[in-house]
mmCIF file of all heavy atoms in Angstrom:
data_model
loop_
_atom_site.group_PDB
_atom_site.id
_atom_site.type_symbol
_atom_site.label_atom_id
_atom_site.label_comp_id
_atom_site.label_asym_id
_atom_site.label_seq_id
_atom_site.Cartn_x
_atom_site.Cartn_y
_atom_site.Cartn_z
ATOM 1 N N LEU B 202 42.288 -30.876 -67.557
ATOM 2 C CA LEU B 202 42.213 -29.523 -67.703
ATOM 3 C C LEU B 202 43.213 -29.020 -68.765
ATOM 4 O O LEU B 202 43.065 -28.206 -69.624
ATOM 5 C CB LEU B 202 42.414 -28.696 -66.473
ATOM 6 C CG LEU B 202 41.109 -28.410 -65.644
ATOM 7 C CD1 LEU B 202 41.572 -27.769 -64.325
ATOM 8 C CD2 LEU B 202 40.228 -27.453 -66.447
ATOM 9 N N ALA B 203 44.495 -29.632 -68.597
ATOM 10 C CA ALA B 203 45.628 -29.283 -69.524
ATOM 11 C C ALA B 203 45.196 -29.709 -70.836
ATOM 12 O O ALA B 203 45.561 -28.952 -71.817
ATOM 13 C CB ALA B 203 46.860 -29.976 -69.075
ATOM 14 N N ALA B 204 44.612 -30.822 -71.076
ATOM 15 C CA ALA B 204 44.105 -31.250 -72.455
ATOM 16 C C ALA B 204 43.165 -30.310 -72.988
ATOM 17 O O ALA B 204 43.160 -30.025 -74.220
ATOM 18 C CB ALA B 204 43.552 -32.601 -72.384
ATOM 19 N N SER B 205 42.107 -29.794 -72.186
ATOM 20 C CA SER B 205 41.362 -28.845 -72.775
ATOM 21 C C SER B 205 41.839 -27.603 -73.085
ATOM 22 O O SER B 205 41.554 -27.076 -74.267
ATOM 23 C CB SER B 205 40.308 -28.496 -71.564
ATOM 24 O OG SER B 205 39.451 -29.607 -71.272
ATOM 25 N N PHE B 206 42.874 -27.004 -72.396
ATOM 26 C CA PHE B 206 43.579 -25.820 -72.816
ATOM 27 C C PHE B 206 44.427 -26.061 -74.128
ATOM 28 O O PHE B 206 44.474 -25.200 -74.926
ATOM 29 C CB PHE B 206 44.494 -25.265 -71.635
ATOM 30 C CG PHE B 206 43.616 -24.532 -70.662
ATOM 31 C CD1 PHE B 206 43.350 -25.132 -69.373
ATOM 32 C CD2 PHE B 206 43.134 -23.265 -70.795
ATOM 33 C CE1 PHE B 206 42.709 -24.321 -68.462
ATOM 34 C CE2 PHE B 206 42.502 -22.617 -70.021
ATOM 35 C CZ PHE B 206 42.311 -23.096 -68.685
ATOM 36 N N ALA B 207 44.989 -27.309 -74.182
ATOM 37 C CA ALA B 207 45.791 -27.493 -75.404
ATOM 38 C C ALA B 207 44.903 -27.518 -76.617
ATOM 39 O O ALA B 207 45.227 -27.010 -77.709
ATOM 40 C CB ALA B 207 46.450 -28.907 -75.202
ATOM 41 N N ALA B 208 43.693 -28.167 -76.548
ATOM 42 C CA ALA B 208 42.772 -28.140 -77.592
ATOM 43 C C ALA B 208 42.293 -26.707 -78.033
ATOM 44 O O ALA B 208 42.154 -26.477 -79.230
ATOM 45 C CB ALA B 208 41.544 -28.949 -77.214
ATOM 46 N N LEU B 209 42.068 -25.882 -76.907
ATOM 47 C CA LEU B 209 41.654 -24.399 -77.240
ATOM 48 C C LEU B 209 42.854 -23.679 -77.989
ATOM 49 O O LEU B 209 42.555 -22.867 -78.903
ATOM 50 C CB LEU B 209 41.417 -23.687 -75.995
ATOM 51 C CG LEU B 209 40.131 -24.190 -75.321
ATOM 52 C CD1 LEU B 209 39.960 -23.595 -73.947
ATOM 53 C CD2 LEU B 209 38.830 -23.685 -76.124
ATOM 54 N N ARG B 210 44.030 -23.936 -77.574
ATOM 55 C CA ARG B 210 45.129 -23.269 -78.203
ATOM 56 C C ARG B 210 45.357 -23.706 -79.631
ATOM 57 O O ARG B 210 45.696 -22.877 -80.535
ATOM 58 C CB ARG B 210 46.450 -23.440 -77.501
ATOM 59 C CG ARG B 210 46.479 -22.682 -76.112
ATOM 60 C CD ARG B 210 47.899 -22.697 -75.625
ATOM 61 N NE ARG B 210 48.354 -24.122 -75.351
ATOM 62 C CZ ARG B 210 48.153 -24.655 -74.032
ATOM 63 N NH1 ARG B 210 47.689 -24.032 -73.166
ATOM 64 N NH2 ARG B 210 48.664 -26.002 -73.920
ATOM 65 N N ALA B 211 45.082 -24.981 -79.982
ATOM 66 C CA ALA B 211 45.361 -25.577 -81.217
ATOM 67 C C ALA B 211 44.251 -25.183 -82.223
ATOM 68 O O ALA B 211 44.391 -25.208 -83.448
ATOM 69 C CB ALA B 211 45.558 -27.103 -81.204
ATOM 70 N N ALA B 212 42.981 -24.999 -81.838
ATOM 71 C CA ALA B 212 41.850 -24.792 -82.710
ATOM 72 C C ALA B 212 41.894 -23.385 -83.278
ATOM 73 O O ALA B 212 42.247 -22.440 -82.580
ATOM 74 C CB ALA B 212 40.599 -24.977 -81.906
ATOM 75 N N PRO B 213 41.458 -23.242 -84.555
ATOM 76 C CA PRO B 213 41.300 -21.901 -85.182
ATOM 77 C C PRO B 213 40.191 -20.988 -84.568
ATOM 78 O O PRO B 213 40.382 -19.699 -84.623
ATOM 79 C CB PRO B 213 41.098 -22.111 -86.686
ATOM 80 C CG PRO B 213 40.349 -23.542 -86.581
ATOM 81 C CD PRO B 213 41.020 -24.275 -85.425
ATOM 82 N N ASP B 214 39.197 -21.562 -83.974
ATOM 83 C CA ASP B 214 38.278 -20.725 -83.285
ATOM 84 C C ASP B 214 37.493 -21.664 -82.215
ATOM 85 O O ASP B 214 37.781 -22.832 -82.119
ATOM 86 C CB ASP B 214 37.230 -20.234 -84.350
ATOM 87 C CG ASP B 214 36.536 -21.405 -85.189
ATOM 88 O OD1 ASP B 214 36.182 -22.513 -84.653
ATOM 89 O OD2 ASP B 214 36.633 -21.188 -86.486
ATOM 90 N N LEU B 215 36.637 -20.987 -81.499
ATOM 91 C CA LEU B 215 36.006 -21.733 -80.345
ATOM 92 C C LEU B 215 35.164 -22.895 -80.865
ATOM 93 O O LEU B 215 35.124 -23.950 -80.198
ATOM 94 C CB LEU B 215 35.243 -20.694 -79.513
ATOM 95 C CG LEU B 215 34.524 -21.313 -78.249
ATOM 96 C CD1 LEU B 215 35.505 -21.867 -77.302
ATOM 97 C CD2 LEU B 215 33.729 -20.250 -77.586
ATOM 98 N N ALA B 216 34.442 -22.710 -81.906
ATOM 99 C CA ALA B 216 33.445 -23.745 -82.381
ATOM 100 C C ALA B 216 34.292 -25.024 -82.785
ATOM 101 O O ALA B 216 33.841 -26.069 -82.506
ATOM 102 C CB ALA B 216 32.587 -23.242 -83.615
ATOM 103 N N ALA B 217 35.497 -24.754 -83.390
ATOM 104 C CA ALA B 217 36.313 -25.958 -83.689
ATOM 105 C C ALA B 217 36.877 -26.573 -82.526
ATOM 106 O O ALA B 217 37.266 -27.786 -82.524
ATOM 107 C CB ALA B 217 37.409 -25.522 -84.711
ATOM 108 N N ALA B 218 37.101 -25.802 -81.469
ATOM 109 C CA ALA B 218 37.786 -26.345 -80.312
ATOM 110 C C ALA B 218 36.860 -27.196 -79.378
ATOM 111 O O ALA B 218 37.310 -28.115 -78.685
ATOM 112 C CB ALA B 218 38.336 -25.182 -79.428
ATOM 113 N N ARG B 219 35.535 -27.075 -79.496
ATOM 114 C CA ARG B 219 34.665 -27.724 -78.581
ATOM 115 C C ARG B 219 34.728 -29.161 -78.569
ATOM 116 O O ARG B 219 34.757 -29.786 -77.437
ATOM 117 C CB ARG B 219 33.291 -27.175 -78.820
ATOM 118 C CG ARG B 219 32.846 -25.759 -78.249
ATOM 119 C CD ARG B 219 31.596 -25.190 -78.617
ATOM 120 N NE ARG B 219 31.366 -23.897 -78.032
ATOM 121 C CZ ARG B 219 30.561 -23.018 -78.483
ATOM 122 N NH1 ARG B 219 29.916 -23.291 -79.573
ATOM 123 N NH2 ARG B 219 30.397 -21.863 -77.920
ATOM 124 N N PRO B 220 34.754 -29.858 -79.708
ATOM 125 C CA PRO B 220 34.841 -31.358 -79.639
ATOM 126 C C PRO B 220 36.024 -31.885 -78.880
ATOM 127 O O PRO B 220 36.036 -32.763 -78.105
ATOM 128 C CB PRO B 220 34.886 -31.876 -81.055
ATOM 129 C CG PRO B 220 34.195 -30.687 -81.806
ATOM 130 C CD PRO B 220 34.591 -29.412 -81.053
ATOM 131 N N GLY B 221 37.180 -31.139 -79.081
ATOM 132 C CA GLY B 221 38.444 -31.627 -78.450
ATOM 133 C C GLY B 221 38.726 -31.114 -77.060
ATOM 134 O O GLY B 221 39.522 -31.568 -76.294
ATOM 135 N N SER B 222 37.918 -30.028 -76.654
ATOM 136 C CA SER B 222 38.138 -29.417 -75.399
ATOM 137 C C SER B 222 37.262 -30.027 -74.246
ATOM 138 O O SER B 222 37.192 -29.540 -73.167
ATOM 139 C CB SER B 222 37.846 -27.939 -75.423
ATOM 140 O OG SER B 222 36.596 -27.634 -75.735
ATOM 141 N N ARG B 223 36.625 -31.231 -74.512
ATOM 142 C CA ARG B 223 35.756 -31.835 -73.552
ATOM 143 C C ARG B 223 36.305 -33.335 -73.286
ATOM 144 O O ARG B 223 35.539 -34.262 -73.658
ATOM 145 C CB ARG B 223 34.261 -31.810 -74.042
ATOM 146 C CG ARG B 223 33.652 -30.402 -74.083
ATOM 147 C CD ARG B 223 32.168 -30.487 -74.522
ATOM 148 N NE ARG B 223 31.619 -29.145 -74.620
ATOM 149 C CZ ARG B 223 31.046 -28.546 -73.600
ATOM 150 N NH1 ARG B 223 30.968 -29.134 -72.493
ATOM 151 N NH2 ARG B 223 30.507 -27.326 -73.828
ATOM 152 N N PRO B 224 37.395 -33.444 -72.708
ATOM 153 C CA PRO B 224 37.855 -34.756 -72.441
ATOM 154 C C PRO B 224 37.013 -35.444 -71.329
ATOM 155 O O PRO B 224 36.232 -34.774 -70.639
ATOM 156 C CB PRO B 224 39.309 -34.516 -71.959
ATOM 157 C CG PRO B 224 39.284 -33.221 -71.292
ATOM 158 C CD PRO B 224 38.275 -32.399 -72.222
ATOM 159 N N ARG B 225 37.195 -36.699 -71.151
ATOM 160 C CA ARG B 225 36.463 -37.361 -70.158
ATOM 161 C C ARG B 225 37.056 -37.039 -68.827
ATOM 162 O O ARG B 225 38.273 -37.309 -68.533
ATOM 163 C CB ARG B 225 36.481 -38.868 -70.300
ATOM 164 C CG ARG B 225 35.764 -39.760 -69.237
ATOM 165 C CD ARG B 225 35.929 -41.131 -69.565
ATOM 166 N NE ARG B 225 35.239 -41.910 -68.502
ATOM 167 C CZ ARG B 225 33.927 -42.156 -68.446
ATOM 168 N NH1 ARG B 225 33.036 -41.614 -69.481
ATOM 169 N NH2 ARG B 225 33.359 -42.840 -67.419
ATOM 170 N N TRP B 226 36.192 -36.368 -67.924
ATOM 171 C CA TRP B 226 36.792 -36.021 -66.628
ATOM 172 C C TRP B 226 36.893 -37.137 -65.680
ATOM 173 O O TRP B 226 36.056 -37.987 -65.676
ATOM 174 C CB TRP B 226 35.892 -34.915 -65.946
ATOM 175 C CG TRP B 226 35.831 -33.653 -66.704
ATOM 176 C CD1 TRP B 226 34.814 -33.261 -67.601
ATOM 177 C CD2 TRP B 226 36.832 -32.673 -66.850
ATOM 178 N NE1 TRP B 226 35.169 -32.038 -68.212
ATOM 179 C CE2 TRP B 226 36.276 -31.682 -67.791
ATOM 180 C CE3 TRP B 226 37.984 -32.459 -66.128
ATOM 181 C CZ2 TRP B 226 36.990 -30.445 -67.973
ATOM 182 C CZ3 TRP B 226 38.658 -31.365 -66.466
ATOM 183 C CH2 TRP B 226 38.209 -30.336 -67.343
ATOM 184 N N PRO B 227 37.803 -37.241 -64.803
ATOM 185 C CA PRO B 227 38.082 -38.304 -63.828
ATOM 186 C C PRO B 227 36.885 -38.401 -62.821
ATOM 187 O O PRO B 227 36.446 -37.149 -62.469
ATOM 188 C CB PRO B 227 39.400 -38.087 -63.199
ATOM 189 C CG PRO B 227 39.585 -36.521 -63.502
ATOM 190 C CD PRO B 227 38.989 -36.245 -64.721
ATOM 191 N N ARG B 228 36.572 -39.483 -62.345
ATOM 192 C CA ARG B 228 35.472 -39.611 -61.337
ATOM 193 C C ARG B 228 36.144 -39.383 -60.020
ATOM 194 O O ARG B 228 36.726 -40.266 -59.450
ATOM 195 C CB ARG B 228 34.804 -40.992 -61.426
ATOM 196 C CG ARG B 228 34.218 -41.298 -62.711
ATOM 197 C CD ARG B 228 33.079 -40.335 -63.181
ATOM 198 N NE ARG B 228 31.952 -40.421 -62.253
ATOM 199 C CZ ARG B 228 30.863 -39.697 -62.356
ATOM 200 N NH1 ARG B 228 30.652 -38.928 -63.383
ATOM 201 N NH2 ARG B 228 29.856 -39.914 -61.515
ATOM 202 N N CYS B 229 36.157 -38.109 -59.603
ATOM 203 C CA CYS B 229 36.760 -37.813 -58.267
ATOM 204 C C CYS B 229 35.957 -36.917 -57.395
ATOM 205 O O CYS B 229 36.440 -35.918 -56.972
ATOM 206 C CB CYS B 229 38.177 -37.200 -58.561
ATOM 207 S SG CYS B 229 38.000 -35.591 -59.654
ATOM 208 N N ARG B 230 34.793 -37.439 -57.097
ATOM 209 C CA ARG B 230 33.959 -36.659 -56.186
ATOM 210 C C ARG B 230 34.621 -36.443 -54.862
ATOM 211 O O ARG B 230 35.146 -37.477 -54.281
ATOM 212 C CB ARG B 230 32.591 -37.447 -55.941
ATOM 213 C CG ARG B 230 31.587 -36.650 -55.137
ATOM 214 C CD ARG B 230 30.368 -37.472 -54.969
ATOM 215 N NE ARG B 230 29.673 -37.527 -56.367
ATOM 216 C CZ ARG B 230 28.937 -36.443 -56.881
ATOM 217 N NH1 ARG B 230 28.689 -35.409 -56.108
ATOM 218 N NH2 ARG B 230 28.298 -36.604 -58.000
ATOM 219 N N PRO B 231 34.685 -35.306 -54.349
ATOM 220 C CA PRO B 231 35.291 -35.030 -53.103
ATOM 221 C C PRO B 231 34.632 -35.865 -52.067
ATOM 222 O O PRO B 231 33.453 -35.988 -51.878
ATOM 223 C CB PRO B 231 35.177 -33.571 -52.842
ATOM 224 C CG PRO B 231 34.948 -32.957 -54.147
ATOM 225 C CD PRO B 231 34.136 -33.985 -54.934
ATOM 226 N N ARG B 232 35.571 -36.396 -51.030
ATOM 227 C CA ARG B 232 35.050 -37.166 -49.943
ATOM 228 C C ARG B 232 35.042 -36.346 -48.672
ATOM 229 O O ARG B 232 36.024 -36.494 -47.830
ATOM 230 C CB ARG B 232 35.986 -38.449 -49.725
ATOM 231 C CG ARG B 232 35.882 -39.318 -51.060
ATOM 232 C CD ARG B 232 36.785 -40.516 -50.888
ATOM 233 N NE ARG B 232 38.235 -40.089 -50.750
ATOM 234 C CZ ARG B 232 39.227 -40.927 -50.581
ATOM 235 N NH1 ARG B 232 39.006 -42.275 -50.608
ATOM 236 N NH2 ARG B 232 40.416 -40.405 -50.472
ATOM 237 N N CYS B 233 34.085 -35.493 -48.515
ATOM 238 C CA CYS B 233 34.061 -34.801 -47.276
ATOM 239 C C CYS B 233 32.572 -34.437 -46.994
ATOM 240 O O CYS B 233 31.721 -34.532 -47.812
ATOM 241 C CB CYS B 233 34.863 -33.460 -47.355
ATOM 242 S SG CYS B 233 34.202 -32.253 -48.539
ATOM 243 N N ALA B 234 32.266 -33.899 -45.865
ATOM 244 C CA ALA B 234 30.819 -33.678 -45.386
ATOM 245 C C ALA B 234 30.324 -32.389 -45.974
ATOM 246 O O ALA B 234 29.036 -32.252 -46.080
ATOM 247 C CB ALA B 234 30.804 -33.578 -43.900
ATOM 248 N N GLY B 235 31.194 -31.496 -46.370
ATOM 249 C CA GLY B 235 30.745 -30.067 -46.711
ATOM 250 C C GLY B 235 30.245 -30.145 -48.212
ATOM 251 O O GLY B 235 30.457 -31.141 -49.024
ATOM 252 N N PRO B 236 29.557 -29.092 -48.697
ATOM 253 C CA PRO B 236 29.259 -28.930 -50.152
ATOM 254 C C PRO B 236 30.313 -28.869 -51.075
ATOM 255 O O PRO B 236 31.434 -28.365 -50.627
ATOM 256 C CB PRO B 236 28.348 -27.633 -50.052
ATOM 257 C CG PRO B 236 28.975 -26.864 -48.954
ATOM 258 C CD PRO B 236 29.340 -27.844 -47.910
ATOM 259 N N MET B 237 30.093 -29.334 -52.196
ATOM 260 C CA MET B 237 31.178 -29.303 -53.250
ATOM 261 C C MET B 237 31.274 -27.844 -53.841
ATOM 262 O O MET B 237 30.285 -27.104 -53.868
ATOM 263 C CB MET B 237 30.877 -30.207 -54.436
ATOM 264 C CG MET B 237 30.974 -31.744 -53.899
ATOM 265 S SD MET B 237 30.796 -32.700 -55.392
ATOM 266 C CE MET B 237 29.262 -32.322 -55.986
#
Side-chain angles (χ1 to χ4, degrees):
L202 271 175
S205 292
F206 280 106
L209 288 169
R210 285 194 298 269
D214 53 48
L215 183 59
R219 281 173 178 157
S222 63
R223 296 180 181 271
R225 180 177 177 83
W226 296 101
R228 304 296 297 180
C229 52
R230 182 177 296 277
R232 297 177 300 180
C233 67
M237 293 189 298

